[in-house]
Amino acid sequence: MKTNTITALLAAGLLLAACGGKQQKWDTTGEPRLDNMIDSLSWAYGVNFASILQQGAFDTLDRAVVVKAICHTLDAKPQPMSDHEIGEALGYLSFLQNSVQMRQAQQQSSNVDALQNEYFENLKRTNGNVKAHPAGFYYEVLREGRGPKATVAQRICFDYRSKLLLTGEPFDQSYGQRDSIIHVVGNPMFPGLVEGFQLMNAGSLYRFYFPYQLAFGERGSGSVPGFTPMIYEIELHKLM
């Protein structure tokens, strides 16, 4: 609560000029003259405050009313809203922000869906070795192993390399970077890999094409942004 209060006061302080505070110095073009460190710091706080507002639903608000409310509060004038009413209004702001985020996610999902579907259609048309899995990904057998087949909860040893499906940009690999991976199938592992490993016999080398829904999903993971379809080439050495 203390941090939020300090942040709000610092941001509001930027509008002191609009509230009748110290007159700012402007050049003939209307741009501010940042003559000293206080001016520069004030401008930097303004930029930061605006960027925070832009991340929410500020485009739906009345900016003049926002400025008036800050001035009103700094001047310690009686509030036209009770604390309860302010809380309810801010709750509605959260609803607006969630709605904006949902619309953005839906738009991004639609865009990536179209691109990855186009990629998969072209892949099936041009690569006769590609097979479709009922779960919704595609794969090709580069080398079929003769060992036992992997299962969920099975401890395995493997190497891999991966890249972003839509751009072909290399992402990560174990070859030359670290020892072969020892891991348990499904613990933890994104859905496509759980299904993919169960297709493989020890000694196999497969290439998998995963839509983002079966890879890192809408939220992504670590350095992988959300809505990122992936290609994984996996060499399953042995079951353990």
Side-chain angles (χ1 to χ4, degrees), residues 56-195:
F58 190 61
D59 57 340
T60 66
L61 305 179
D62 187 321
R63 299 186 184 193
V65 175
V66 171
V67 172
K68 185 67 175 177
I70 292 173
C71 296
H72 206 78
T73 302
L74 289 173
D75 291 339
K77 294 181 178 179
Q79 291 288 349
M81 298 175 65
S82 66
D83 290 345
H84 178 71
E85 290 170 331
I86 291 173
E88 287 187 334
L90 292 177
Y92 179 64
L93 177 60
S94 297
F95 168 76
L96 291 178
Q97 291 173 330
N98 291 336
S99 297
V100 169
Q101 292 170 356
M102 287 180 60
R103 287 197 302 271
Q104 291 173 340
Q106 290 170 351
Q107 183 61 52
Q108 187 173 4
S109 172
S110 178
N111 292 341
V112 177
D113 282 346
L115 290 173
Q116 69 183 14
N117 288 342
E118 180 181 357
Y119 181 97
F120 291 141
E121 288 301 318
N122 183 64
L123 182 67
K124 290 186 293 183
R125 187 169 56 252
T126 59
N127 189 338
N129 296 323
V130 169
K131 301 176 182 179
H133 190 278
F137 64 86
Y138 296 85
Y139 68 97
E140 55 183 312
V141 180
L142 305 181
R143 184 182 72 238
E144 190 65 87
R146 297 185 177 181
K149 183 164 294 204
T151 59
V152 172
Q154 173 69 56
R155 197 161 179 252
I156 58 176
C157 177
F158 67 96
D159 277 287
Y160 75 96
R161 58 174 55 90
S162 63
K163 58 185 177 181
L164 308 185
L165 182 144
L166 295 178
T167 65
E169 178 184 353
F171 173 66
D172 189 23
Q173 66 175 21
S174 61
Y175 295 103
Q177 304 292 328
R178 67 199 80 158
D179 294 336
S180 296
I181 309 298
I182 296 176
H183 198 72
V184 174
V185 177
N187 185 37
M189 194 174 285
F190 64 65
L193 283 179
V194 176
E195 296 294 336

